[in-house]
Amino acid sequence: MIECSTPVLFSRKRCDLLLPESLPESSPHVSDIAPGHGALRPARSWLHSDAPSRSLNGSWRFRLSPTASAAEDFAAEGFDDHEWDSIPVPSHWVLEGDGAYGRPIYTNIQYPFPIDPPYVPDENPTGDYRRAFDVPADWSDAERVVLRFDGVESLFRVWVNGVEVGGASGSRLAHEFDVTSVVRAGENVVAVRVHQWSAGSYVEDQDQWWLPGIFRDVTLVARPAGGIEDVWLRTGFDQGRGRVDAEITADATAFPVTLRIPELGVERVWATPADVAPVDIADVEPWSAELPRLYDATVSTASETVTLRVGFRTVEIRGDQFLVNGRRVVFHGVNRHETHPERGRVFDEAHAREDLALMKRFNVNAIRTSHYPPHPRLLDLADELGFWVILECDLETHGFGKVDWVGNPSDDPAWREAYLDRIQRTVERDKNHPSIVMWSLGNESDTGSNLAAMSAWVHARDAGRPVHYEGDYTGEYTDVYSRMYASVLETEQIGTDGSRAPLLNCTPAQGARQRTKPFLLCEYAHAMGNGPGAFDQYEALVHEYPRLHGGFVWEWRDHGILTTAPDGTPYYAYGGDFGEVLHDGNFVMDGMVLSDGSPTPSLHEFKAVVAPVDFAFDGDKVAITNLRHTADTSDLRFRWRVEHDGTPVDSGELEVPRVAAGDSGWVSLPRIAVSPDSETWLTIEAELATETSWAPEGHVLATAQIDRSLRRPVPGVRPRSGWRSGDGTLTLGIARFTGGSLVRLGERAVAGPRLELFRAPTDNDEGAWGEVAESDASVSGVSNAELWRRDGLDRLTSRRVSVEQTTDALRTVDKIAAADSGLSVMVESVWSLEDDGELQLRVEVQPSRGWRTVWPRIGIRFDLPDGTAPVDGAGWFGLGPLESYPDSVRAAVTGRFSATVHDLSVDYARPQETGHRSALRQLTLTSGDMEVLHIVALPDTHGRRPGFTLSRHTPQEIARSGHPFQLPRSTTSHLFIDAAQHGLGSRACGPDVWPEFALRPEARTIKLRITAPQ
């Protein structure tokens, strides 16, 4: 206990403001549900103030104990900590010291401790921190001194100069302690004890790494007498007029208070609290995610000035429409965790700014802060760069689903104070940000009275923003209807007026009520590994059904942690790589950006699908539709180019009049030369006319192509006769065969074609999530990959049925099947020298009856051993430049491209199918600068063209590897020519491949012309 006679810097403070009377008689336990204790101050905004402050970031002394029961003597001022280690603050201790302080743990839903709320195990890693800090003598004029922690996982207690000042839980929330009575001028000592596990861990079961420690800023602040405790500048916008409704929290003695917005000529002085009144402004520019117009504002007293950036916008729900500034919003959003491969959730502003700039470059316009408030500076950046933000509370209890939600805190009155504290700290900290257009109560915590109480508090506190929570399926306490991973069909039914299709967990009456609200997909299109598919199907529904307001892809970035293999090879680790007893594997690798910051093909696909400009060709004109919310097209430039078989022949700029947001305009297309002997493609691109803070001039936002080629007949199959049995040993032009099998093409050893039905399963192939349609060939609850392995597609064997030949052709028939299976595929391969002397290959694939599931691919494989010159690259005319699949092809354009064999694939954290390029016309394999083989892919009788993949590994080798460094050393390049590929879907945590893009066993033809340089 502190006595009033204790020497303190601020002796004029009254004893009833000191902390002893607010401290509990005994220290809190890790199982305490209460959100905090001691001199913990009420939540307030994170403000930019000129009040004196000192960062306590930097090197702290650190000791880790295996349990929570270590002695507390370390908090004493005179404690000798010279034998302790040093650790940076902010940081996570499990990411420091190369494992000296434990390792990260990844779980998605599972709790890494027994479900025994509110208790946690005695084996509870506990970190003790200490550091000295100076308090300037001139802080003696301060009314109070505040110690602020912006993020500590998970429960922490604080001592200053040997006196406990309090503690708190709520890992991603800000906590301030009044330390006025215990600090002194000169040197002071702060000590902090952090427990990895606590009662709070039960409500922080977010899908992410468990990373304990002081991971956000620690700051000491001098609060001046007559200062501003808190400010909230509510803003509104209505047809050019703005309003500022100020809420000033300050003692009456702090007045007069002055509001200034210099650019708008606003200077309002309020002499007393009663004088504070709304300020109407006749002419302002609105804030939106596209035009994030901000005005610098200050709120000041004689002793303190707070600086804010004000954006004028009004959020409202009108019927089933979610509107900002009177216009419907479509969320082209991502779920964003705070993650870095080396720092974890430690914030780095330069990294965060580039992260958001990358989002803007890929047409992302919205962020859901899954599933907690981010570092407060991130929201400053969102205001500045322009994003619609759903700000989510630090809450998830997903692991209780394993016990049928028994004991779930969401409906337990004992936890209500903790729930309310979390939402209050969320809203109060970030209430000034114009980018935040919705508050979210949390994620995957079932439902219950505590969530309803949170919603009621938010509605009472902030009537200007709606409340979101996906788990309120019946809409009892939320303002929008939100779902995750609804199928395309179900989403359409939600958007359709008058539909009586049942909604999840709703009675008919409840479903009807939910259809009166704006609908959004808070999570959809699970972007794990190679995928997802169907972006374009969801986007089409948004344009057709106004109730549908888009959604948020799960998720933005992989959470891999950079580490090294036993041989020193760096790689990005996922669950299980740190020896966790319980983990959820690579489910943490589910972003459209890889851990190293590389955009995946899925991000390019997303960009193309949600492009803010749409092109619709009609004869010699194109309709240009501006799909933006606010901005017209005056910032854009429209360029066109013409290519013959992928070679540019002409280009220019379209004269496009300004098109307002939501409007369309017709523009005449240029007259172009159409080649009679090659394909003619016209491409139009919308690009930035000037540089922005997030992209350079010329950055392309939208692309469209139209095929202007003259129709040419599909070449038929030349009939051949005179076949006779033979041994299959012969030469046909550049091809040499032994026993009916190809051994060389030109000067290069080549084996093939071998039927390939298997692909290294994607994460979506391995997923068994959700239901499948009865007409689909998938099986509910069983992954497609499991079915493929069951049917032996990864271990096919071949039996040569026949070999026939003529003087200029070779025909083989093979029966392909797997051990312990009566299913088979017949493959007829015909090699021939055509009249022009070129070598042609025609492969006919015919499955037997009885196949009941989808196939991953229908293709052939050629193996090309390295020899003296390995095949290490390709140039092609077809779709590119990135990989594409049946349900993920919108980002691909027809053109001529080239890449190395390494760049043709994507280094997904778990190796899987990658690298397929669709609609192949021509392919040249290269070794360095030397051309090795040239292949022309001819369409089949239906006009369908094959795709290709060039890889250094077989699908079987890839499927056996858990990480890229585990792939075997390769001495062969493998060329796959696929007549068809199965779609990608989102079944890792979402719907399966849409039936239209599912590959069912069927007869297919592949026809190639092959030449080799002389």
Side-chain angles (χ1 to χ4, degrees):
M1 299 292 288
I2 303 174
E3 299 178 0
C4 291
S5 59
T6 301
V8 294
L9 175 59
F10 310 100
S11 57
R12 61 186 176 84
K13 293 298 298 173
R14 292 165 40 205
C15 289
D16 62 358
L17 295 179
L18 302 183
L19 59 113
E21 295 176 14
S22 62
L23 279 175
E25 293 184 2
S26 60
S27 298
H29 190 268
V30 291
S31 61
D32 286 346
I33 296 174
H37 70 279
L40 186 61
R41 307 184 75 231
R44 66 189 184 108
S45 299
W46 194 85
L47 296 170
H48 299 273
S49 167
D50 65 355
S53 66
R54 290 214 157 178
S55 172
L56 298 189
N57 294 351
S59 180
W60 289 51
R61 307 296 284 175
F62 180 73
R63 176 187 68 183
L64 184 67
S65 302
T67 71
S69 58
E72 297 175 2
D73 56 348
F74 81 100
E77 281 193 81
F79 181 82
D80 183 2
D81 60 15
H82 77 275
E83 292 187 355
W84 285 21
D85 297 333
S86 294
I87 197 170
V89 168
S91 72
H92 304 280
W93 69 62
V94 292
L95 298 183
E96 301 293 326
D98 195 24
Y101 312 118
R103 290 293 194 179
I105 299 170
Y106 168 63
T107 63
N108 168 30
I109 298 173
Q110 306 176 93
Y111 285 113
F113 44 80
I115 304 174
D116 184 26
Y119 304 105
V120 293
D122 295 335
E123 295 85 359
N124 187 356
T126 296
D128 292 330
Y129 296 77
R130 285 174 55 90
R131 72 156 289 169
F133 63 92
D134 286 331
V135 172
D138 60 7
W139 281 22
S140 59
D141 293 334
E143 183 175 52
R144 64 186 66 242
V145 176
V146 172
L147 181 60
R148 180 182 183 97
F149 293 84
D150 282 308
V152 184
E153 183 174 330
S154 71
L155 170 72
F156 69 107
R157 297 162 58 196
V158 184
W159 293 259
V160 175
N161 295 329
V163 177
E164 185 172 2
V165 297
S169 62
S171 298
R172 270 67 69 176
L173 304 170
H175 298 90
E176 291 184 331
F177 299 92
D178 189 337
V179 297
T180 309
S181 60
V182 292
V183 295
R184 55 177 175 254
E187 184 173 279
N188 297 260
V189 175
V190 58
V192 183
R193 169 160 285 184
V194 181
H195 303 289
Q196 175 157 13
W197 311 122
S198 68
S201 301
Y202 283 101
V203 294
E204 293 178 1
D205 188 29
Q206 293 99 332
D207 176 7
Q208 59 180 344
W209 295 95
W210 299 87
L211 299 173
I214 305 174
F215 69 95
R216 285 186 185 159
D217 306 300
V218 182
T219 310
L220 193 71
V221 181
R223 298 293 310 127
I228 301 167
E229 182 64 16
D230 201 358
V231 173
W232 186 4
L233 298 184
R234 294 182 176 94
T235 65
F237 178 82
D238 183 15
Q239 297 182 346
R241 297 184 299 274
R243 166 171 280 215
V244 178
D245 190 355
E247 178 183 288
I248 310 295
T249 304
D251 288 342
T253 56
F255 282 76
V257 173
T258 302
L259 168 68
R260 292 185 179 89
I261 310 177
E263 192 173 353
L264 296 175
V266 172
E267 181 165 339
R268 191 64 53 90
V269 180
W270 295 304
T272 70
D275 296 329
V276 178
V279 178
D280 291 314
I281 307 166
D283 187 15
V284 301
E285 296 177 44
W287 184 97
S288 73
E290 294 163 1
L291 297 174
R293 183 66 161 94
L294 295 171
Y295 295 90
D296 292 329
T298 60
V299 178
S300 58
T301 67
S303 59
E304 183 179 14
T305 295
V306 171
T307 302
L308 305 96
R309 304 190 76 186
V310 175
F312 291 91
R313 55 105 185 97
T314 294
V315 179
E316 63 177 321
I317 291 177
R318 193 181 303 160
D320 62 359
Q321 299 290 288
F322 178 87
L323 310 175
V324 175
N325 297 334
R327 293 185 63 88
R328 171 176 174 255
V329 171
V330 175
F331 296 104
H332 294 136
V334 295
N335 284 273
R336 181 189 182 275
H337 269 291
E338 294 200 307
T339 183
H340 186 276
E342 296 174 86
R343 296 187 297 271
R345 284 188 287 279
V346 175
F347 183 76
D348 177 87
E349 185 162 332
H351 178 262
R353 180 180 287 275
E354 175 52 32
D355 215 34
L356 298 195
L358 185 65
M359 290 183 188
K360 296 286 285 188
R361 293 196 291 273
F362 280 88
N363 294 334
V364 174
N365 72 358
I367 298 170
R368 177 179 177 227
T369 68
S370 53
H371 299 292
Y372 44 83
H375 189 284
R377 274 292 290 160
L378 185 95
L379 297 166
D380 287 341
L381 298 178
D383 293 342
E384 173 190 329
L385 294 172
F387 291 92
W388 311 117
V389 174
I390 295 182
L391 198 287
E392 198 146 85
C393 185
D394 189 8
L395 176 66
E396 182 169 336
T397 67
H398 205 168
F400 282 92
K402 188 158 190 175
V403 293
D404 295 324
W405 299 100
V406 173
N408 180 27
S410 295
D411 202 34
D412 184 345
W415 289 82
R416 184 158 302 170
E417 181 187 1
Y419 272 56
L420 288 172
D421 179 78
R422 285 174 182 264
I423 194 62
Q424 289 164 7
R425 293 188 179 278
T426 296
V427 171
E428 297 294 355
R429 193 197 73 170
D430 298 326
K431 55 186 178 282
N432 280 293
H433 292 282
S435 58
I436 298 174
V437 295
M438 208 178 299
W439 300 112
S440 179
L441 305 180
N443 186 67
E444 293 175 326
S445 299
D446 200 45
T447 189
S449 59
N450 293 336
L451 288 157
M454 293 168 73
S455 178
W457 183 89
V458 176
H459 282 117
R461 181 69 176 119
D462 182 11
R465 295 180 177 103
V467 172
H468 166 274
Y469 176 66
E470 187 266 348
D472 180 26
Y473 295 122
T474 61
E476 296 296 326
Y477 48 83
T478 48
D479 302 308
V480 297
Y481 183 29
S482 174
R483 287 283 306 284
M484 54 176 66
Y485 307 111
S487 69
V488 172
L489 178 60
E490 185 181 7
T491 302
E492 182 176 26
Q493 292 168 341
I494 292 170
T496 301
D497 286 338
S499 172
R500 295 185 179 181
L503 301 184
L504 181 67
N505 292 347
C506 285
T507 65
Q510 291 167 337
R513 178 174 64 185
Q514 289 294 65
R515 284 189 173 91
T516 67
K517 298 178 180 180
F519 175 78
L520 61 89
L521 288 159
C522 66
E523 295 179 21
Y524 83 111
H526 193 261
M528 186 174 181
N530 189 349
F535 278 139
D536 53 350
Q537 293 175 273
Y538 284 103
E539 183 68 10
L541 295 179
V542 169
H543 294 295
E544 186 172 356
Y545 301 101
R547 180 179 305 133
L548 308 181
H549 287 72
F552 297 79
V553 176
W554 187 268
E555 63 169 303
W556 171 242
R557 179 186 285 268
D558 284 0
H559 297 213
I561 293 178
L562 185 61
T563 187
T564 55
D567 65 356
T569 302
Y571 74 100
Y572 293 98
Y574 50 72
D577 287 336
F578 296 108
E580 303 102 303
V581 174
L582 194 71
H583 64 85
D584 283 308
N586 71 318
F587 210 69
V588 77
M589 305 298 223
D590 46 13
M592 293 193 292
V593 176
L594 300 180
S595 299
D596 66 0
S598 301
T600 67
S602 69
L603 186 55
H604 288 267
E605 180 77 0
F606 178 85
K607 174 187 176 182
V609 168
V610 306
V613 177
D614 179 68
F615 301 95
F617 296 97
D618 186 1
D620 61 354
K621 292 186 176 183
V622 60
I624 297 177
T625 302
N626 181 1
L627 300 174
R628 291 160 148 183
H629 176 271
T630 310
D632 61 33
T633 59
S634 59
D635 63 326
L636 303 180
R637 186 167 53 215
F638 295 84
R639 294 193 179 276
W640 61 268
R641 69 177 181 271
V642 176
E643 294 165 317
H644 291 166
D645 275 0
T647 300
V649 295
D650 201 2
S651 63
E653 186 172 331
L654 280 181
E655 292 296 327
V656 178
R658 183 184 67 85
V659 181
D663 287 348
S664 298
W666 286 95
V667 177
S668 295
L669 294 170
R671 290 182 174 273
I672 64 174
V674 177
S675 170
D677 303 317
S678 58
E679 294 185 37
T680 300
W681 286 87
L682 171 65
T683 304
I684 300 178
E685 293 177 331
E687 64 180 33
L688 293 177
T690 59
E691 70 174 348
T692 68
S693 60
W694 45 268
E697 177 186 352
H699 171 74
V700 175
L701 295 178
T703 302
Q705 278 192 319
I706 185 170
D707 186 357
R708 292 301 202 193
S709 306
L710 298 175
R711 290 186 176 274
R712 288 179 288 175
V714 176
V717 177
R718 172 187 168 190
R720 290 186 176 273
S721 59
W723 293 107
R724 65 183 186 277
S725 296
D727 63 3
T729 299
L730 75 162
T731 298
L732 296 174
I734 64 170
R736 287 198 291 178
F737 302 87
T738 299
S741 297
L742 178 68
V743 294
R744 298 193 76 81
L745 285 172
E747 300 302 315
R748 176 166 294 275
V750 180
R754 162 192 172 134
L755 179 70
E756 190 64 81
L757 302 180
F758 185 65
R759 71 184 186 193
T762 67
D763 291 306
N764 291 310
D765 294 337
E766 294 282 8
W769 195 91
E771 296 297 320
V772 296
E774 290 184 5
S775 61
D776 202 351
S778 299
V779 176
S780 181
V782 181
S783 75
N784 287 326
E786 185 176 344
L787 297 174
W788 299 341
R789 289 186 288 261
R790 180 201 68 185
D791 289 346
L793 300 189
D794 58 336
R795 49 183 175 82
L796 296 174
T797 62
S798 176
R799 178 175 65 83
R800 176 73 32 97
V801 175
S802 64
V803 179
E804 296 177 303
Q805 60 194 65
T806 69
T807 56
D808 60 356
L810 171 70
R811 180 169 68 186
T812 60
V813 177
D814 298 283
K815 186 173 185 179
I816 311 299
D820 196 35
S821 174
L823 303 172
S824 63
V825 181
M826 299 302 294
V827 179
E828 179 190 58
S829 301
V830 178
W831 293 89
S832 59
L833 276 179
E834 298 302 300
D835 294 340
D836 55 9
E838 287 191 355
L839 180 69
Q840 180 168 292
L841 168 64
R842 178 172 54 85
V843 179
E844 303 281 357
V845 177
Q846 179 67 58
S848 68
R849 295 181 180 274
W851 294 94
R852 293 175 297 164
T853 61
V854 296
W855 277 354
R857 75 190 327 152
I858 302 174
I860 55 176
R861 184 180 106 198
F862 295 93
D863 298 332
L864 300 97
D866 287 350
T868 58
V871 173
D872 57 10
W876 73 98
F877 174 42
L879 288 185
L882 302 177
E883 63 185 31
S884 55
Y885 293 83
D887 55 354
S888 182
V889 74
R890 288 281 295 276
V893 294
T894 300
R896 197 168 289 275
F897 312 98
S898 63
T900 66
V901 67
H902 178 268
D903 291 338
L904 284 167
S905 61
V906 178
D907 285 331
Y908 295 112
R910 185 188 70 80
Q912 56 195 275
E913 162 67 26
T914 177
H916 178 76
R917 267 72 177 175
S918 307
L920 178 66
R921 280 83 161 167
Q922 302 169 20
L923 172 67
T924 300
L925 302 182
T926 58
S927 180
D929 295 330
M930 180 178 63
E931 293 187 0
V932 174
L933 290 173
H934 184 68
I935 299 172
V936 174
L938 302 175
D940 66 12
T941 55
H942 297 281
R944 299 173 297 192
R945 296 182 182 273
F948 86 95
T949 304
L950 182 65
S951 174
R952 293 293 290 175
H953 294 94
T954 68
Q956 292 77 10
E957 290 172 332
I958 296 171
R960 288 192 292 266
S961 301
H963 298 86
F965 74 85
Q966 294 171 328
L967 289 165
R969 181 178 176 273
S970 174
T971 59
T972 302
S973 292
H974 306 279
L975 173 64
F976 303 83
I977 304 293
D978 290 321
Q981 274 258 357
H982 185 56
L984 299 174
S986 190
R987 206 178 177 202
C989 186
D992 198 1
V993 175
W994 189 251
E996 178 183 351
F997 305 112
L999 178 58
R1000 288 162 179 79
E1002 62 184 18
R1004 282 288 190 140
T1005 300
I1006 296 173
K1007 191 161 64 169
L1008 309 174
R1009 289 285 189 101
I1010 305 173
T1011 57
Q1014 300 299 318

